[in-house]
Amino acid sequence: MKKPFSKFAHATFLLCLTAAPLRAQFPHSTVDPASADSGAKIYASNCARCHGDDARGTATAPDLLRSLAVLHDRRQMLYGKELGPLLTTGPNHNFKYDEKQLADLSQFLTASVNGILRSGYNAEPTNLLSGDATAGETYFNGAGGCSRCHSATGDLAGLAKRYPPSALQQKFLFPNYGLFIRRKVQVTVNLPSGKIYTGDLIRIDDFTIALREKSGQYRSFNRTAGTKVTTVDPFAAHADLLDKYTDTDIHNMTTYLATLK
């Protein structure tokens, strides 16, 4: 059985928000399939026994897919020009490849790195609509509890016309993060003196709490004995679901939301 989607995975999704700007900053790591195939044969014959069949390293040799030299070669599209010296001078290395062999090996490693990226500098997220829309609708109206606050013919009508699948997914998973921040957590502080302060939550921990009132006034309090703090998170239901979602639920929901046109 698949494990529920964890809150701690949120960083991965938040990184997707910056994919478009990053694509403009980094070159596209293209791969020539024929060259990569030739590189795979070179790798299998000379490298796999130490670095592993998948280039992820073994007990005796490091992970090449995390190698700075390999990543630099991929990013700059050097086609092995800087890998050549390392292959002749590195510990236990004495491989003298010609320019084409180096380019082929570089293409194989580039393809291997590309293959482990869910969404990278040069790739759009894929398979986002591989779920079952009917199952997604059932989850929306049932176990997910989404219909308690939302309506497919009300606030969500035409949603898929406004957002691509990747944004739809991010929006229902993390509606109050990154580009989608709209509403802040509200907090009420009841002091032992009887005074009450309410506003947008700025910071909270075990010792202090800070808020900003509607007037713009910033206030900070020590959480001393007798101080009562109440928070209202408008997206608490979304946060609670992060510990319950499975990958299947997420894909089904994304596919269903993509039908709301």
Side-chain angles (χ1 to χ4, degrees):
M1 185 176 75
K2 293 184 177 180
K3 295 182 179 179
F5 181 83
S6 170
K7 291 180 183 178
F8 297 104
H10 80 279
T12 302
F13 281 87
L14 294 180
L15 286 174
C16 291
L17 298 176
T18 61
L22 284 173
R23 281 196 298 275
Q25 299 175 34
F26 291 87
H28 190 94
S29 300
T30 56
V31 172
D32 178 341
S35 178
D37 286 344
S38 296
K41 294 175 182 177
I42 295 173
Y43 180 86
S45 299
N46 301 291
C47 315
R49 61 178 174 272
C50 293
H51 292 281
D53 292 336
D54 57 2
R56 295 197 183 194
T58 64
T60 59
D63 184 341
L64 292 181
L65 304 190
R66 294 177 181 271
S67 163
L68 293 180
V70 171
L71 294 176
H72 180 68
D73 179 82
R74 171 186 178 272
R75 179 183 182 277
Q76 298 295 338
M77 294 185 292
L78 298 177
Y79 299 101
K81 289 182 177 63
E82 293 183 1
L83 297 180
L86 297 177
L87 293 172
T88 59
T89 61
N92 301 318
H93 286 70
N94 187 27
F95 302 105
K96 297 178 181 179
Y97 298 125
D98 59 33
E99 184 175 333
K100 183 182 183 304
Q101 289 175 314
L102 286 172
D104 290 344
L105 184 59
S106 168
Q107 287 283 275
F108 165 72
L109 293 172
T110 293
S112 298
V113 173
N114 289 349
I116 65 170
L117 297 178
R118 295 187 179 186
S119 170
Y121 301 137
N122 53 32
E124 293 292 342
T126 58
N127 300 321
L128 294 180
L129 300 181
S130 60
D132 183 327
T134 301
E137 182 177 13
T138 299
Y139 189 87
F140 181 93
N141 293 312
C146 312
S147 59
R148 290 197 291 266
C149 299
H150 303 287
S151 168
T153 57
D155 62 320
L156 300 186
L159 187 69
K161 293 181 179 179
R162 303 194 297 274
Y163 301 103
S166 57
L168 286 174
Q169 187 176 90
Q170 294 159 23
K171 198 167 179 63
F172 80 78
L173 288 171
F174 310 104
N176 216 31
Y177 279 82
L179 299 177
F180 305 127
I181 294 177
R182 294 292 182 271
R183 299 166 62 189
K184 296 182 179 295
V185 175
Q186 298 299 299
V187 60
T188 299
V189 179
N190 294 71
L191 300 178
S193 65
K195 290 185 177 181
I196 301 176
Y197 297 90
T198 301
D200 294 338
L201 179 64
I202 303 298
R203 183 185 69 257
I204 186 171
D205 57 35
D206 291 339
F207 307 101
T208 61
I209 183 167
L211 60 85
R212 191 175 303 282
E213 295 178 311
K214 288 185 178 180
S215 65
Q217 178 67 45
Y218 174 88
R219 297 187 182 277
S220 180
F221 309 94
N222 292 322
R223 300 186 68 173
T224 56
T227 298
K228 181 180 178 182
V229 177
T230 304
T231 59
V232 178
D233 183 351
F235 297 103
H238 286 262
D240 290 343
L241 282 173
L242 293 178
D243 282 335
K244 301 175 183 178
Y245 284 129
T246 64
D247 288 343
T248 299
D249 293 332
I250 292 172
H251 282 92
N252 289 346
M253 276 285 290
T254 303
T255 305
Y256 167 61
L257 292 176
T259 68
L260 302 183
K261 300 179 179 180

